[in-house]
């Protein structure tokens, strides 16, 4: 597999992550200009030991060695990611994972910036995403935040996805 193909695979695999979280239009939400970056401790509490449920998959943020595991069926194609998650001082959550699919394996780093103002949390996929309200004040069932569930909801599907991907290589 060429480097270009690997880069395409990594972009394709991570493009589906938090697709629903993408803002429509180019208007930033009210209040974002005065919101402050979240602290590392705040972000840790938000994601630690939680699974982020996506439209066609999920990603789990384990305490143990900050392990990140994920699976996806984006566009009907099975894939899975394994790596580590980390937090930057500038309020970003990132995960660095090797993504495995029928077409091969590629490494991708995916990051989300977080800002907070009062009880509101804003999020933006880096580098080209748009700010949106991640958690309303008070929290709403339609918030992206509502897709964070305590516990590991990835492992139960991971073996089946891994088998599906390895059968086609």
């Amino acid at each position: 597999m060429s480097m270009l193909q690997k880069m395409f695979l990594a972009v394709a695999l991570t493009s589906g992550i938090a697709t629903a979280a993408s803002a429509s239009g180019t208007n930033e939400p009210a209040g974002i200009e005065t919101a402050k970056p979240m602290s590392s401790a705040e972000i840790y509490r938000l994601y630690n030991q939680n699974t982020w449920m996506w439209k066609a998959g999920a990603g789990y943020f384990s305490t143990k060695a900050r392990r990140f595991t994920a699976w996806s069926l984006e566009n009907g194609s099975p894939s899975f990611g394994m790596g580590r998650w980390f937090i930057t001082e500038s309020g970003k959550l990132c995960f660095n994972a090797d993504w495995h699919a029928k077409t091969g394996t590629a490494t991708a780093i995916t990051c989300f910036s977080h800002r907070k103002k009062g009880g509101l949390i804003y999020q933006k996929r880096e580098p080209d995403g748009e700010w949106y309200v991640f958690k309303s004040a008070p929290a709403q069932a339609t918030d992206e935040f509502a897709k964070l569930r305590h516990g590991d909801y990835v492992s139960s599907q991971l073996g089946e996805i891994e088998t599906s991907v390895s059968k086609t290589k």
Side-chain angles (χ1 to χ4, degrees):
M1 175 180 288
S2 74
M3 183 57 79
L4 183 59
Q5 287 173 313
K6 285 183 180 183
M7 288 173 49
F8 177 76
L9 172 66
V11 169
L13 290 173
T14 59
S15 68
I17 298 170
T19 307
S22 299
S24 60
T26 58
N27 297 330
E28 290 187 336
I32 189 64
E33 63 282 344
T34 56
K36 304 290 184 211
M38 290 179 67
S39 71
S40 297
E42 289 172 319
I43 294 173
Y44 183 82
R45 284 191 300 271
L46 195 61
Y47 291 94
N48 181 49
Q49 293 296 99
N50 285 326
T51 299
W52 192 353
M53 307 301 287
W54 304 322
K55 183 178 179 180
Y60 177 58
F61 302 88
S62 174
T63 297
K64 189 174 185 177
R66 294 261 180 113
R67 185 180 165 141
F68 173 78
T69 52
W71 64 269
S72 174
L73 292 173
E74 187 72 24
N75 298 322
S77 298
S79 63
F80 66 95
M82 297 183 141
R84 302 270 184 251
W85 64 284
F86 59 96
I87 301 166
T88 71
E89 289 300 319
S90 60
K92 289 181 191 171
L93 163 79
C94 299
F95 40 95
N96 183 2
D98 291 330
W99 288 91
H100 306 267
K102 294 175 184 178
T103 55
T105 300
T107 300
I109 297 176
T110 306
C111 294
F112 292 87
S113 288
H114 295 77
R115 291 187 187 174
K116 188 174 181 180
K117 181 176 183 179
L120 279 171
I121 297 176
Y122 301 94
Q123 187 183 68
K124 173 177 112 162
R125 181 164 175 172
E126 294 295 347
D128 299 322
E130 295 181 19
W131 288 107
Y132 56 90
V133 174
F134 180 74
K135 181 183 177 195
S136 302
Q140 305 291 313
T142 55
D143 289 344
E144 190 69 20
F145 169 80
K147 297 176 184 176
L148 290 177
R149 295 194 186 150
H150 187 71
D152 180 358
Y153 290 85
V154 170
S155 294
S156 63
Q157 293 279 13
L158 197 56
E160 184 179 325
I161 299 290
E162 284 180 287
T163 301
S164 173
V165 168
S166 65
K167 281 183 181 177
T168 58
K169 280 187 175 180

